[in-house]
Amino acid sequence: MTDNSVSSQVPGIALPVAVLVGAGPGDPNLITLAGVAMLAQAKVVIYDALANKRLLIHCPPDTEYIFVGKRAQEHTLSQDQINTLLVEKCRELMAQRQHFGRFVVRLKGGDPYVFGRGGEEGQVLSEAKIPFTVIPGITAGIAGPAYAGIPVTHRNFTSTVTFITGHQQENESDKPALSDSGDVGANVDYSALAKLGGTLVFYMGVKTLPDITQRLITAGMATNTPAAVVRMATHPEQQTVIGQLGTISALVKQANIQAPAITIIGQVVTMRKQLNWFENRPLFGQTVLVTRTRQQAGELSRQLEALGAKVIEAPTIEIVQPADPQAAHAAISKMNDYDCVVFTSANGVRATWAAMQDLKMDARDFAAAVGAIGPATAAALQTLGITPEIVGEEAIGEQLAAALMDYFGSATDRTDHQDLDLSGIEFLLLRAEIARPALVNMLRNAGAEVDDVPVYQTRMAKVLPVEATTALGNGTINWLTFTSATTAKNLHAMLSADLREAVKHCHRLSIGPMTTKALCDLGWPPTVEAQRHDIPGMVEMLLRHIHGH
């Protein structure tokens, strides 16, 4: 058999093995498309504490992850050890016959070459004759001020910006930097900085801030020069302290600001009053626990995060194949023998589509009418190019049954669903293995023939993420969201007695009546229930409750 793959040894061609990727300042949405593309081809990822771990979802399943993060005086590995590890992993990959298309990714907070020691790591790779590429990232010195409402340049104030490391090398032993984005630097000429003016941005300057401000004042900079310190820039936990050069150190100490933080000094700081968009978002400062399945959590999480909330995902349900997948396949392969195919969840849509792909079917095989329990399920169908003819106004089985009766019923009085006759109408319901019987009972009572076929089953998740249980225990959760009775029951079963009690001290948001009943039965009555029983309805109700509308 001929091997047509590209080998690691191509005469005269140096194929890249390592990639230095800038992860951006913390917000996972700020990584570049090129950075995501490299992660999608990663064989090994060596990542820092300031590189958001959520970025690792872009990697293939077989990727090896190695954490080498550094925070003040806490170092997983020294820089020399990181350099050695980087070379070793590259050589391991190069030894494989078919490494082309896979990379050792060095994922670094911010930009690799802006106080990130990426230059040193590139030198080490070069000296080891390992081909590498660099993907720049958005540096915290630009993104941090922007997320705090501070443009680093403005034509009314300054056209210059200077980036300075606030941490200085103490001796010649090349001690590790205080943070991932930090590099030890040469002595700073504060006299020159004071004369230059413009905007000064100090990285990693929290610990040395009193010394920095005093040196600038001694060098002649006015004590009333506007100043700001931004902690955890671009994260939901972002904190901003505003003051002046002469007062900012005391204000930062009073606010107990810890690293990582960016310090901005200059007249541009005054623009924050007009430009502070990030911290003014309607859910900023709120921490929300989302209990949906891992497959579904993203939709709700994205909407909440876009509005400023910190989201912690704690899936309580896992979606798995039904007990008898062959029965589901058999029903799906004959679905056009029915008058109507009915879906009662987006999970059912996804499970059916997966089965259709196994059966070499596609959207053209939907010749029958299609029903959806509500807008969210209809939207899931539409992503597949399928527009349902019948959609319930809300995601409730009784309302979908009424809509189906209206569509197929033959009675003269179509307002009274009890008089509708569905004799001879055949329905195929593709839904969960355990589902409420109301929809089936109402259709059968009207004379319809109904095949209720499980295409997936739900089971309790094995364990909750440590982040979720820790946050509940610490009392830092503001809201818990429940999108089904099952999510409520499973969370209750998975929590210890003390954490169940902690839930009572949080606000609780229910998607609808069935979920509300389950929460009440568990002793967790909801703080509020969505008027529209879908994800947008939950988000709208959350906003209304918090802001009193």
Side-chain angles (χ1 to χ4, degrees), residues 181-499:
S181 66
D183 195 0
V184 290
N187 291 329
V188 174
D189 186 342
Y190 287 92
S191 177
L193 289 178
K195 292 175 182 176
L196 176 65
T199 303
L200 306 181
V201 180
F202 288 86
Y203 290 65
M204 305 156 308
V206 175
K207 202 170 187 180
T208 56
L209 186 57
D211 183 58
I212 290 171
T213 54
Q214 186 55 54
R215 285 174 180 263
L216 288 171
I217 292 170
T218 300
M221 185 171 283
T223 58
N224 65 352
T225 304
V229 172
V230 185
R231 178 183 179 273
M232 294 294 288
T234 78
H235 290 264
E237 303 94 333
Q238 177 174 299
Q239 291 176 266
T240 304
V241 175
I242 300 295
Q244 296 178 342
L245 186 62
T247 62
I248 192 67
S249 294
L251 293 171
V252 164
K253 183 177 181 180
Q254 182 180 349
N256 194 29
I257 297 296
Q258 305 293 323
I262 292 288
T263 299
I264 309 105
I265 299 171
Q267 294 300 320
V268 290
V269 172
T270 61
M271 296 298 297
R272 174 175 161 83
K273 292 180 181 179
Q274 291 180 278
L275 303 181
N276 182 20
W277 63 275
F278 184 70
E279 296 169 33
N280 283 336
R281 293 178 301 167
L283 294 182
F284 186 80
Q286 298 288 321
T287 300
V288 183
L289 189 73
V290 173
T291 60
R292 299 196 91 190
T293 65
R294 191 171 303 280
Q295 297 93 328
Q296 291 179 301
E299 177 190 356
L300 177 56
S301 296
R302 280 191 296 273
Q303 293 194 37
L304 294 172
E305 286 176 335
L307 293 168
K310 176 183 178 180
V311 175
I312 299 175
E313 294 183 353
T316 58
I317 296 174
E318 293 179 349
I319 305 297
V320 296
Q321 281 197 332
D324 186 0
Q326 294 306 315
H329 279 57
I332 291 169
S333 66
K334 298 178 181 178
M335 62 184 179
N336 283 324
D337 293 344
Y338 296 85
D339 296 289
C340 186
V341 180
V342 180
F343 296 93
T344 60
S345 70
N347 286 327
V349 173
R350 285 188 281 268
T352 299
W353 186 249
M356 290 177 66
Q357 290 179 306
D358 290 341
L359 295 167
K360 309 302 181 187
M361 300 170 67
D362 58 32
R364 292 170 297 181
D365 292 292
F366 276 93
V370 177
I373 196 168
T377 303
L381 285 163
Q382 287 169 342
T383 62
L384 305 176
I386 301 160
T387 300
E389 286 83 356
I390 310 101
V391 180
E393 290 184 9
E394 296 181 289
I396 299 175
E398 289 84 348
Q399 290 197 15
L400 176 57
L404 292 168
M405 290 178 185
D406 284 341
Y407 188 86
F408 287 102
S410 58
T412 303
D413 182 6
R414 301 180 67 86
T415 62
D416 186 352
H417 297 123
Q418 292 184 351
D419 294 336
L420 291 174
D421 182 11
L422 299 183
S423 298
I425 305 298
E426 297 181 349
F427 292 93
L428 173 63
L429 274 58
L430 299 173
R431 55 186 194 155
E433 199 158 87
I434 299 176
R436 291 181 64 237
L439 174 60
V440 173
N441 292 341
M442 288 180 68
L443 293 176
R444 285 177 177 166
N445 289 339
E449 297 180 26
V450 181
D451 286 341
D452 190 7
V453 178
V455 291
Y456 71 96
Q457 61 178 322
T458 61
R459 66 186 182 194
M460 188 185 304
K462 294 181 177 63
V463 66
L464 291 170
V466 173
E467 182 186 15
T469 54
T470 300
L472 271 174
N474 292 340
T476 56
I477 300 292
N478 301 108
W479 286 87
L480 288 90
T481 64
F482 297 94
T483 54
S484 69
T486 305
T487 60
K489 293 174 184 176
N490 286 3
L491 182 65
H492 190 273
M494 297 173 76
L495 292 178
S496 60
D498 59 327
L499 291 183

Side-chain angles (χ1 to χ4, degrees), residues 22-31 39 45 47-59 67 71 107-110 180 232-237 305 467:
D27 182 341
N29 295 311
L30 293 183
I31 191 171
L39 288 173
V45 177
Y47 66 100
D48 290 335
L50 295 184
N52 197 314
K53 285 183 66 175
R54 288 174 60 182
L55 294 174
L56 301 181
I57 64 172
H58 299 295
C59 301
F67 176 68
R71 290 205 188 276
L107 188 64
K108 303 175 68 65
D180 296 330
M232 294 294 288
T234 78
H235 290 264
E237 303 94 333
E305 286 176 335
E467 182 186 15

Side-chain angles (χ1 to χ4, degrees), residues 27-207:
D27 182 341
N29 295 311
L30 293 183
I31 191 171
T32 63
L33 291 174
V36 170
M38 289 298 103
L39 288 173
Q41 301 173 80
K43 185 65 176 177
V44 181
V45 177
I46 301 171
Y47 66 100
D48 290 335
L50 295 184
N52 197 314
K53 285 183 66 175
R54 288 174 60 182
L55 294 174
L56 301 181
I57 64 172
H58 299 295
C59 301
D62 65 342
T63 301
E64 178 185 3
Y65 304 114
I66 304 174
F67 176 68
V68 295
K70 301 188 290 288
R71 290 205 188 276
Q73 304 308 320
E74 297 179 9
H75 313 294
T76 304
L77 295 178
S78 69
Q79 187 60 50
D80 285 342
Q81 290 172 320
I82 292 172
N83 294 345
T84 300
L85 175 67
L86 184 57
V87 171
E88 286 177 353
K89 288 300 176 180
C90 287
R91 285 177 173 162
E92 287 177 12
L93 186 58
M94 292 171 73
Q96 299 177 17
R97 292 189 63 248
Q98 299 178 15
H99 88 275
F100 188 72
R102 302 298 297 274
F103 302 96
V104 175
V105 174
R106 178 70 172 101
L107 188 64
K108 303 175 68 65
D111 178 271
Y113 284 179
V114 180
F115 304 131
R117 308 196 79 164
E120 296 173 42
E121 292 170 1
Q123 282 181 293
V124 169
L125 291 169
S126 178
E127 290 165 2
K129 301 192 184 312
I130 295 172
F132 69 94
T133 57
V134 178
I135 306 296
I138 300 174
T139 183
I142 293 174
Y147 271 53
I150 302 170
V152 290
T153 65
H154 190 287
R155 68 176 182 172
N156 291 343
F157 299 116
T158 180
S159 58
T160 66
V161 56
T162 306
F163 298 112
I164 314 106
T165 176
H167 171 59
Q168 296 299 305
Q169 183 172 341
E170 298 178 14
N171 53 45
E172 297 304 316
S173 63
D174 191 23
K175 292 184 178 181
L178 282 180
S179 75
D180 296 330
S181 66
D183 195 0
V184 290
N187 291 329
V188 174
D189 186 342
Y190 287 92
S191 177
L193 289 178
K195 292 175 182 176
L196 176 65
T199 303
L200 306 181
V201 180
F202 288 86
Y203 290 65
M204 305 156 308
V206 175
K207 202 170 187 180

Side-chain angles (χ1 to χ4, degrees), residues 470-542:
T470 300
L472 271 174
N474 292 340
T476 56
I477 300 292
N478 301 108
W479 286 87
L480 288 90
T481 64
F482 297 94
T483 54
S484 69
T486 305
T487 60
K489 293 174 184 176
N490 286 3
L491 182 65
H492 190 273
M494 297 173 76
L495 292 178
S496 60
D498 59 327
L499 291 183
R500 289 176 187 170
E501 191 65 25
V503 171
K504 295 180 181 179
H505 300 288
C506 306
H507 296 294
R508 297 169 296 280
L509 172 60
S510 166
I511 196 171
M514 303 304 167
T515 304
T516 293
K517 182 180 184 306
L519 287 167
C520 290
D521 292 343
L522 295 169
W524 294 342
T527 308
V528 66
E529 177 187 303
Q531 293 179 355
R532 287 174 43 213
H533 308 316
D534 55 18
I535 297 305
M538 293 182 75
V539 175
E540 179 182 346
M541 183 55 67
L542 183 62

